[in-house]
Amino acid sequence: MKSREEFIKDITPKIAKEFEIEEEAITEEANIFETLELDSISLIDLMSLVHANYGIKIAKEEIPQIKTFGDLYDYVAALVVDGSHACDADI
């Protein structure tokens, strides 16, 4: 991934397809849990999508800080775009 914007363009359709929602509903300000109607199982699905596509496991202790899609984009893009892949904790 070359930039945060490219990452957003890549992950947004994947999230929309996985959770069967319109891409337009996925905005940086939108609450992930409300927009995707996440429960504990679908939260695992989201984390698995991120891991399968980008090789990043989001640490359990980080999940409460990721409330909006913007938070998710920032968290994952920092690792993917910067190339650090430092986060390898289990979800």
Side-chain angles (χ1 to χ4, degrees):
M1 261 330 116
K2 292 184 175 26
S3 71
R4 183 178 185 275
E5 290 74 27
E6 288 174 334
F7 167 70
I8 292 169
K9 287 180 184 177
D10 185 63
I11 195 170
T12 300
K14 292 174 183 173
I15 293 171
K17 181 178 179 182
E18 176 72 24
F19 292 93
E20 300 176 349
I21 64 169
E22 296 294 325
E23 284 186 44
E24 294 77 26
I26 302 173
T27 64
E28 292 206 37
E29 301 80 25
N31 182 290
I32 291 174
F33 294 88
E34 292 172 7
T35 304
L36 301 180
E37 299 178 4
L38 292 182
D39 58 19
S40 58
I41 293 173
S42 53
L43 176 59
I44 292 170
D45 291 341
L46 177 61
M47 299 304 117
S48 296
L49 183 143
V50 170
H51 182 256
N53 286 279
Y54 307 102
I56 294 171
K57 293 183 181 178
I58 299 174
K60 285 185 233 179
E61 57 272 5
E62 295 293 329
I63 293 172
Q65 284 88 19
I66 301 173
K67 296 178 177 150
T68 67
F69 287 100
D71 295 338
L72 177 66
Y73 297 155
D74 290 342
Y75 183 87
V76 178
L79 299 174
V80 173
V81 173
D82 295 342
S84 64
H85 284 264
C87 182
D88 199 28
D90 291 329
I91 55 172

